[in-house]
Amino acid sequence: MGVSLGSGNASREEKESVISQRKGCSREDYRSINRSPLEDGDLIEETLDCPTCQGTGRIPRGQENQLVALIPYSDQRLKPTHTKLYVTMSVLLCMLTCSLALFFLFPRSIFLSPVKIQSVYVEFSPSSVNMSVTNVLNITNDNYYGISSTYVDIQALIFEKVVGRVRVIKKTQVRPRSVSEFTYTINAIISDEGLLNYCMSPKFNIHTLFLHMQLTMNASYLAHSEQLSLDTFEYVDCGTNTTTPHMLAPSGAGS
């Protein structure tokens, strides 16, 4: 009956080991949760909150950066609320922003259209008839951003023969969703013998000629350049000065 179990001896040895370890540890190796003095009146230099014991225990000095806080899988902090709602709203907001950007930045048509002739001045010489024709042109901008034109190349033809050409270098700004007028003057010189007789003959009260106007405009917007073209016909009286404005007859416009 005096035999003792091995487990009892082991537990006694463990207890003695724990007691010896506790005796070997000084109070300076531990930090308190608060700055209150210990039971024996000794003061602690500095204190830290224990991340694993919720402020109720002490940790050895120098080990506060080695501890790992474990959060249970069922912790509500791992399950944020309204996640799907936030993700859906973010996706919808991105789609809306992209759609608005495409809607406002998508390039739309720019039209050239003739308006009227402001004036036609005719000058006679023994070998030619010189006409100075001033026209008004409309530039229609359907975009949601402004455009600018740098130059316009114009040539006048009579019976498919070029009688005048001019390049107008003039920067014109057209605001978004608006129409701007562009005025230009071209000099047409008629030197054909048959046309000279027709324009100078006193047998005719009206000396009507049809001018075929071909216009090419260079328009730029959003770091992009584009050429616009327009073909139009206009009638003029080559036998006298005509200053009464009249409408033009467009044959087609392109952008």
Side-chain angles (χ1 to χ4, degrees):
M1 298 302 291
V3 179
S4 60
L5 297 177
S7 59
N9 295 333
S11 60
R12 185 180 299 110
E13 292 177 356
E14 290 178 357
K15 291 180 180 179
E16 292 178 355
S17 175
V18 170
I19 294 172
S20 62
Q21 290 179 1
R22 290 183 179 178
K23 291 181 178 180
C25 295
S26 62
R27 292 178 178 271
E28 295 182 354
D29 293 335
Y30 291 87
R31 299 180 181 179
S32 176
I33 299 307
N34 49 28
R35 294 186 178 271
S36 60
L38 298 179
E39 291 80 357
D40 55 356
D42 295 334
L43 296 177
I44 303 302
E45 296 180 357
E46 54 185 10
T47 61
L48 291 175
D49 290 339
C50 179
T52 58
C53 56
Q54 298 180 358
T56 59
R58 300 171 184 174
I59 59 175
R61 179 180 299 173
Q63 296 184 6
E64 62 271 9
N65 295 328
Q66 301 177 1
L67 299 178
V68 179
L70 300 179
I71 301 176
Y73 179 77
S74 59
D75 198 301
Q76 293 298 325
R77 290 174 292 180
L78 299 178
K79 299 178 181 180
T81 58
H82 308 298
T83 304
K84 294 182 179 180
L85 177 62
Y86 295 151
V87 173
T88 304
M89 290 180 61
S90 301
V91 172
L92 293 178
L93 182 60
C94 292
M95 293 179 63
L96 179 62
T97 304
C98 294
S99 301
L100 291 176
L102 289 175
F103 177 80
F104 286 106
L105 298 180
F106 187 80
R108 291 171 173 80
S109 300
I110 304 172
F111 297 102
L112 300 179
S113 57
V115 181
K116 61 184 178 180
I117 293 180
Q118 279 192 340
S119 62
V120 178
Y121 296 99
V122 181
E123 181 181 4
F124 297 99
S125 68
S127 59
S128 64
V129 175
N130 301 326
M131 294 187 300
S132 180
V133 184
T134 302
N135 295 296
V136 179
L137 181 70
N138 269 352
I139 307 174
T140 304
N141 180 20
D142 288 338
N143 295 283
Y144 285 91
Y145 42 83
I147 65 171
S148 62
S149 64
T150 54
Y151 72 89
V152 181
D153 193 3
I154 311 132
Q155 65 178 6
L157 300 89
I158 298 179
F159 299 119
E160 303 304 323
K161 180 181 180 181
V162 178
V163 295
R165 185 169 185 174
V166 66
R167 171 173 287 188
V168 181
I169 301 176
K170 177 183 177 182
K171 190 170 184 180
T172 304
Q173 299 288 342
V174 185
R175 292 181 299 177
R177 310 289 294 180
S178 63
V179 180
S180 179
E181 288 188 351
F182 181 81
T183 304
Y184 66 92
T185 301
I186 184 171
N187 295 322
I189 301 175
I190 302 174
S191 58
D192 183 77
E193 184 177 355
L195 291 178
L196 285 176
N197 294 331
Y198 173 72
C199 293
M200 296 180 180
S201 176
K203 297 179 181 179
F204 304 99
N205 294 328
I206 300 177
H207 308 81
T208 303
L209 284 180
F210 283 92
L211 287 178
H212 180 196
M213 307 295 293
Q214 293 180 343
L215 298 93
T216 303
M217 175 179 289
N218 186 26
S220 58
Y221 54 90
L222 296 181
H224 173 73
S225 182
E226 181 180 348
Q227 275 197 344
L228 312 174
S229 61
L230 172 68
D231 287 346
T232 183
F233 292 89
E234 56 188 45
Y235 61 93
V236 296
D237 189 347
C238 64
T240 183
N241 288 333
T242 304
T243 58
T244 303
H246 57 272
M247 303 301 293
L248 305 181
S251 61
S255 60

